[in-house]
Amino acid sequence: MSAFQVHEEKNQNSEIETQKMSTFSWAELPKDLLASIANCLNSDDFLRFRGVCKSWRSSVKLCKTPAFPPKLPFPISSDDPIHRNRRGFFSLEHSSFYLLEPLEPRPEAPYQALLIMVKAKKDGKLCLLNPFEQVRHIGFSPKTLPKDLNLLDYRVTEITRAYSIRFNNRSKFPAPRLVNYGADYWRYRQRQELCALNVNRVVLSSTSDVMVGIYNGGTMFYMKDRDRKWTLINEGRGFKYEDVAFFEGKWYGLERSGLVAVFSSSMDLVYTISSPVSDSVGRRYLIESFSDLFMVHANLDPPENDDESFRYFRRYDKESLTYVRTDGTTHQRLVFFVFKLNLKDKIWEEVQSLEDRSLFLGDNCRFSVTAKESAGCIGNHIYYEDHFDVLDMDYSMTGLEWREIRVFKKIGVCNFWDGVGRPLVCFPSLVDIFWPPPIWLRPSPTSESEMLEDDEETDKSVELRQWIVVSDF
Amino acid sequence: MASTDDKVILKSSEGECFEVDMAVASHLQIVKSVLEDCEGSSDKVVSLFIVEAKYVAMIIEYYKNYVELKEKHEEGGFEEKLKEFEKQFLEQIDKKELKGLVMAVNYLNAPALFDVVCTAIAKHIENKSVEYVREYFGIVNDFTAEEEAQIREEHRWAYDGVNDD
């Protein structure tokens, strides 16, 4: 026995402290200690842990920091068409979406709110970006936003968080990229590999201990933070998934036909919900909004005048959703339908109005904002990332700068009164929330000449030196 | 046999002293950093002001076994043997002691034992109803009826199908 008592000595002061320590109740344990205990629990136990008492509830945030390792295994499945010398790993990236508003109305400027996304870069620096993937790197520049944001100066609302999985290439040869693939075999192989490396969508459970994603043209997979390996979801019906959502403890996989497969937390297929639409061309999204699950269906309406000069061929996949005329110009008319899940009867019910809420459908994120939360948001609209280039639109009439045109071209808006999707530029009153940065947020003009010298193409994104994380209890 | 240089004395809140091998004490991060701070000093007594003797003894017992098992099973099998010991170790600790122990381990910053104790506490929460957890840990429900109803409604599914005993 190496631990033995050497001598005794009484210490009055420490005795008082000891007494304090042993009279602590389980509710009064230090918060970090409670958080460590909570982190040993799985998602349902974790949720109930937060329901025990106020102290336990405040010790842990609902959004646990995901405990996934920084390097996720590669490839996702051993059957993936990966080049045999390809090496690398996947990494989980997360971004937060905020609404910035002035604390008080400014007499010199009209009221304006700004929707932004904050993302940590590989080196740990935070950057401030446009919330939509496609306009991320053209939206903001260091010239239009300040380097330091003191969040006490603004009203900041955290709207949501989103996750994505990126492939980090560690091979000597480059990772495949989306280029114009011809018919030859080598390019065909590259395209196949690209599909297996591209994770289109990742969703985490409400307690961040399980992630479910879609890749390789509709294959769904998951990982629990404890087992740290990928598992493909095989419901035995050959489903190809378009979107996935976590709702009330279950996973909802949206199949390409519009059917939804519902999985329990142990990833067993529980039941399916039949599609609310039949035989349609378009894209569908799942979005949770204020405790309801919605399916948004963007239907591509065929052209009305189908005479000889208007020959179309239909091209439909995730990247492009469009009718292309024989002369190369495109036609698009997206009509939106929204369905709400009736959980009791397990059916989708069509919704006629979104009331005061607006839905945001990005490639990597889905969220909603109500007019109640922000005066900068007008209800009953759907904002979506637009994969079309609207060629037949004359932008010279709008008086916009090239940078603004690039932003507006990639964002579509549907006013749900008529349900038709149009480019953002058609809605001058809705542009504000994306662009330009409001006057109260702009950096104080430093030197004019410096600004003019900057090459616009070199603007990447705004790096933040300072960012205060907002608590979400 | 280790020389006295490799020993350190840990003093509990009551002033009780424990002589421990350095190999064991170095698992307590707080002890390690204190010793590093006063390197060269002949006085190798570390006061653990707020930790009672009972818990100091428990923590030493755990890490003594940890170190011994690690030495003995260098080739492999260490983890299984440690698991076996941990099970035995936890069996002799009651609810009240578990609370004191977790606070002590948290204070001393001893990662391996901390994980063991947290997992042991979590075991009493897993698959148990909120009412059971409150009773087991003697926690008073300080939510109002409305708050409680709202909390439950928010994550209804998590409250279904759990054990009350």
Side-chain angles (χ1 to χ4, degrees):
Chain A
M1 172 126 180
S2 65
F4 58 88
Q5 202 176 310
V6 179
H7 59 105
E8 269 184 41
E9 187 187 1
K10 280 277 168 198
N11 185 326
Q12 290 291 324
N13 287 335
S14 59
E15 195 153 315
I16 297 162
E17 283 207 308
T18 310
Q19 244 177 353
K20 271 193 216 151
M21 190 168 158
S22 51
T23 52
F24 270 120
S25 84
W26 281 98
E28 292 165 327
L29 291 180
K31 288 218 156 78
D32 59 329
L33 185 50
L34 286 171
S36 304
I37 296 169
N39 277 323
C40 301
L41 299 167
N42 75 28
S43 70
D44 286 6
D45 294 324
F46 179 84
L47 290 170
R48 284 197 313 280
F49 178 94
R50 295 183 80 244
V52 170
C53 66
K54 282 184 179 164
S55 146
W56 283 27
R57 188 179 185 80
S58 62
S59 68
V60 276
K61 286 185 185 176
L62 192 52
C63 288
K64 280 203 285 189
T65 312
F68 294 100
K71 286 186 183 181
L72 300 169
F74 162 81
I76 290 175
S77 159
S78 54
D79 295 334
D80 287 347
I82 303 283
H83 190 285
R84 67 193 154 81
N85 290 330
R86 176 77 61 206
R87 301 284 177 273
F89 61 92
F90 287 104
S91 56
L92 183 67
E93 297 182 341
H94 104 265
S95 41
S96 298
F97 295 76
Y98 298 91
L99 200 61
L100 291 183
E101 290 167 284
L103 282 180
E104 290 159 9
R106 306 269 178 124
E108 78 278 9
Y111 176 83
Q112 190 190 343
L114 187 71
L115 196 58
I116 54 157
M117 186 189 87
V118 175
K119 188 172 187 166
K121 294 204 292 191
K122 252 194 278 181
D123 55 9
K125 281 182 184 154
L126 294 171
C127 52
L128 205 147
L129 301 161
N130 192 293
F132 282 167
E133 179 87 37
Q134 291 193 80
V135 288
R136 216 151 261 186
H137 293 296
I138 44 178
F140 303 132
S141 80
K143 276 178 295 178
T144 52
L145 284 178
K147 270 268 187 197
D148 297 296
L149 276 182
N150 186 348
L151 296 191
L152 298 174
D153 295 345
Y154 315 103
R155 194 159 87 92
V156 183
T157 319
E158 180 173 344
I159 299 165
T160 190
R161 285 174 198 199
Y163 296 87
S164 56
I165 287 181
R166 202 164 51 90
F167 175 67
N168 298 268
N169 190 29
R170 286 288 175 270
S171 329
K172 288 202 179 81
F173 52 106
R177 287 191 310 157
L178 192 64
V179 290
N180 192 12
Y181 287 100
D184 68 90
Y185 180 73
W186 166 239
R187 285 194 160 162
Y188 168 74
R189 290 284 305 186
Q190 269 199 307
R191 190 181 177 108
Q192 272 202 316
E193 189 180 15
L194 180 72
C195 287
L197 296 175
N198 250 5
V199 177
N200 307 117
R201 180 103 176 101
V202 187
V203 175
L204 267 70
S205 62
S206 57
T207 45
S208 302
D209 55 350
V210 185
M211 69 165 118
V212 174
I214 298 169
Y215 86 122
N216 206 2
T219 307
M220 195 146 79
F221 61 85
Y222 71 90
M223 178 187 281
K224 299 190 175 180
D225 63 0
R226 288 187 200 180
D227 51 9
R228 301 189 167 195
K229 63 175 180 29
W230 305 112
T231 312
L232 297 187
I233 292 175
N234 184 5
E235 71 301 287
R237 309 213 355 215
F239 287 158
K240 290 284 180 195
Y241 294 94
E242 206 175 356
D243 200 356
V244 60
F246 183 76
F247 178 66
E248 298 220 339
K250 291 197 171 61
W251 294 94
Y252 290 72
L254 173 60
E255 216 265 334
R256 280 198 183 148
S257 62
L259 176 132
V260 169
V262 184
F263 296 87
S264 66
S265 53
S266 50
M267 294 299 163
D268 299 315
L269 180 65
V270 200
Y271 56 87
T272 58
I273 307 168
S274 51
S275 171
V277 285
S278 60
D279 186 35
S280 57
V281 184
R283 182 168 177 188
R284 281 155 295 267
Y285 308 82
L286 288 177
I287 171 172
E288 192 196 335
S289 169
F290 302 97
S291 311
D292 280 315
L293 187 68
F294 291 90
M295 186 200 291
V296 179
H297 174 74
N299 191 52
L300 184 63
D301 269 13
E304 278 156 26
N305 309 330
D306 209 355
D307 58 42
E308 204 50 34
S309 61
F310 270 69
R311 271 271 186 78
Y312 298 90
F313 75 91
R314 214 157 77 167
R315 207 171 71 197
Y316 165 57
D317 66 359
K318 190 186 169 282
E319 309 309 331
S320 70
L321 179 64
T322 182
Y323 289 98
V324 184
R325 295 190 186 108
T326 40
D327 62 0
T329 58
T330 57
H331 160 90
Q332 56 134 344
R333 186 170 183 271
L334 278 179
V335 182
F336 284 79
F337 300 91
V338 178
F339 303 90
K340 186 162 110 177
L341 179 63
N342 175 335
L343 204 53
K344 203 171 121 256
D345 301 333
K346 300 184 174 59
I347 49 163
W348 293 102
E349 289 168 351
E350 192 169 352
V351 172
Q352 299 304 330
S353 164
L354 301 171
E355 286 152 22
D356 70 342
R357 75 181 97 180
S358 279
L359 309 180
F360 292 79
L361 309 169
D363 287 351
N364 285 337
C365 62
R366 318 268 187 270
F367 58 89
S368 62
V369 178
T370 66
K372 249 188 254 110
E373 283 175 290
S374 164
C377 181
I378 301 163
N380 211 26
H381 284 80
I382 300 169
Y383 299 82
Y384 58 97
E385 244 174 271
D386 205 337
H387 288 275
F388 311 100
D389 270 329
V390 186
L391 298 171
D392 43 7
M393 180 122 194
D394 186 3
Y395 284 98
S396 61
M397 301 297 287
T398 59
L400 294 169
E401 289 172 31
W402 69 271
R403 187 201 295 276
E404 292 169 320
I405 294 168
R406 282 172 72 185
V407 173
F408 298 148
K409 268 167 83 171
K410 297 291 186 186
I411 301 174
V413 182
C414 157
N415 181 337
F416 203 53
W417 293 111
D418 64 3
V420 179
R422 299 180 179 89
L424 178 62
V425 73
C426 302
F427 300 87
S429 62
L430 301 178
V431 165
D432 278 6
I433 200 162
F434 296 102
W435 182 267
I439 289 169
W440 45 264
L441 200 61
R442 287 189 205 170
S444 47
T446 41
S447 81
E448 287 281 323
S449 58
E450 194 187 314
M451 285 174 71
L452 290 171
E453 274 168 33
D454 261 339
D455 180 8
E456 299 211 308
E457 283 294 343
T458 59
D459 298 342
K460 282 279 153 48
S461 57
V462 181
E463 250 172 38
L464 280 181
R465 289 195 297 238
Q466 196 187 6
W467 182 260
I468 303 158
V469 179
V470 188
S471 155
D472 64 351
F473 172 62
Chain B
M1 189 64 202
S3 74
T4 47
D5 282 356
D6 297 330
K7 304 254 181 201
V8 60
I9 291 165
L10 303 180
K11 198 153 84 177
S12 77
S13 63
E14 300 96 325
E16 206 172 302
C17 290
F18 297 84
E19 195 179 62
V20 201
D21 282 349
M22 251 328 273
V24 173
S26 64
H27 283 278
L28 312 174
Q29 300 297 324
I30 199 168
V31 174
K32 209 173 151 191
S33 56
V34 166
L35 289 175
E36 273 164 12
D37 281 351
C38 37
E39 212 172 319
S41 139
S42 58
D43 183 20
K44 289 222 169 153
V45 181
V46 179
S47 272
L48 311 174
F49 301 107
I50 63 166
V51 185
E52 289 167 60
K54 176 160 80 173
Y55 302 121
V56 178
M58 279 183 195
I59 293 163
I60 291 171
E61 188 201 337
Y62 176 84
Y63 278 107
K64 199 166 71 74
N65 279 277
Y66 183 97
V67 170
E68 274 172 16
L69 286 173
K70 192 151 199 180
E71 253 170 41
K72 219 156 66 188
H73 300 277
E74 241 171 46
E75 320 275 270
F78 164 65
E79 283 181 13
E80 292 90 73
K81 289 280 173 212
L82 183 68
K83 283 248 150 39
E84 246 170 64
F85 163 71
E86 280 167 359
K87 197 163 162 253
Q88 218 181 309
F89 175 76
L90 289 166
E91 269 166 14
Q92 2 155 353
I93 300 171
D94 68 21
K95 192 162 62 179
K96 210 177 139 210
E97 286 170 336
L98 205 54
K99 184 179 71 190
L101 183 61
V102 76
M103 286 188 74
V105 176
N106 189 35
Y107 168 73
L108 295 174
N109 194 359
L113 183 54
F114 187 66
D115 285 351
V116 172
V117 184
C118 282
T119 314
I121 296 169
K123 282 264 181 304
H124 294 290
I125 303 170
E126 273 170 22
N127 290 318
K128 297 290 194 297
S129 70
V130 168
E131 290 75 15
Y132 171 89
V133 173
R134 281 183 194 139
E135 196 187 315
Y136 183 85
F137 292 105
I139 293 172
V140 181
N141 176 15
D142 53 0
F143 293 117
T144 64
E146 291 83 51
E147 280 173 339
E148 172 116 38
Q150 200 199 333
I151 288 165
R152 280 177 185 247
E153 185 53 33
E154 216 180 326
H155 299 113
R156 224 177 320 135
W157 70 87
Y159 290 83
D160 296 337
V162 287
N163 306 333
D164 284 324
D165 40 37

